Amino acid sequence: MTKIGIIIGSTRPGRLGPQVAGWVHDAAARRSDAEFAVVDLAEFRLPLFDQAVPPAMGGTGGPEAQAWARTVDAFDGFVFVTPEYNNQLPAALKNAIDFVCAGWADKAAGIVSYGGAGGTGSAAQLRQLCGLLGLADVPGQVSLHLATDFADFAVFAPSRSRARALDALLDHVVAWASALQPVRSARTASVA
């Protein structure tokens, strides 16, 4: 069965990501076409990327990086739950992406962003990274605004229209991850 990781892209104290990822997971759990799991970057305790040999050149990093790479490898696709800091991708998410190279390729990705402007700056940077890594980002995204989708800017309270947008996003991520399965299988067979 297709496996999709829901990645919480922030590690800071007081972050809103776990609330949003829980909402994504609750919607995903009603589906029978894939398995979904929340992946919290904070649990990996990745150091700032400091590897002498980057993953693209065969570097594997320390135990935290190896555990992270194995986690990425286990999924066929991802839903990135990303905040926006200063109209940018969070450093923790960019750092985690940098620790893996081939593990992202030929998989599908959807983006659920949040922030003062809906996280659109972060999402745009994430789409650029997806293209560079061979990660197929699906069209559309779910943009959540702090002023309208969070009570008192702290408690997640999305509208029904956001739930419909999320269902459409999940449809695309599962379909694309499934469609790319033969490509991943062929790549794995050529390496073996």
Side-chain angles (χ1 to χ4, degrees):
M1 178 169 280
T2 301
K3 295 181 179 179
I4 308 296
I6 302 166
I7 298 176
I8 301 174
S10 173
T11 60
R12 72 176 183 81
R15 62 201 167 129
L16 300 172
Q19 292 179 64
V20 179
W23 173 70
V24 172
H25 189 264
D26 288 347
R30 294 189 294 269
R31 304 174 67 95
S32 61
D33 54 355
E35 295 176 11
F36 295 84
V38 173
V39 179
D40 190 346
L41 289 183
E43 294 176 3
F44 289 88
R45 301 201 175 280
L46 290 168
L48 185 61
F49 185 79
D50 61 354
Q51 305 303 305
V53 179
M57 299 177 75
T60 58
E64 298 92 350
Q66 290 174 21
W68 170 241
R70 283 190 303 273
T71 298
V72 170
D73 287 345
F75 291 103
D76 302 304
F78 306 93
V79 174
F80 290 100
V81 174
T82 181
E84 178 174 87
Y85 300 149
N86 299 320
N87 203 37
Q88 304 288 315
L89 191 65
L93 181 54
K94 174 64 168 78
N95 188 56
I97 289 169
D98 288 345
F99 269 102
V100 177
C101 184
W104 300 114
D106 305 319
K107 296 179 179 181
I111 300 170
V112 176
S113 62
Y114 59 96
T120 56
S122 178
Q125 288 186 320
L126 189 51
R127 285 189 190 285
Q128 183 180 20
L129 282 171
C130 287
L132 293 170
L133 296 167
L135 186 59
D137 58 306
V138 304
Q141 71 190 54
V142 179
S143 296
L144 304 164
H145 297 263
L146 292 177
T148 58
D149 294 302
F150 294 84
D152 296 322
F153 300 93
V155 178
F156 187 49
S159 67
R160 286 185 193 256
S161 66
R162 302 290 194 236
R164 287 190 298 274
L166 176 61
D167 287 339
L169 180 87
L170 294 173
D171 287 345
H172 280 104
V173 171
V174 171
W176 285 31
S178 299
L180 286 166
Q181 180 60 48
V183 178
R184 289 190 301 278
S185 295
R187 180 171 39 87
T188 302
S190 71
V191 173

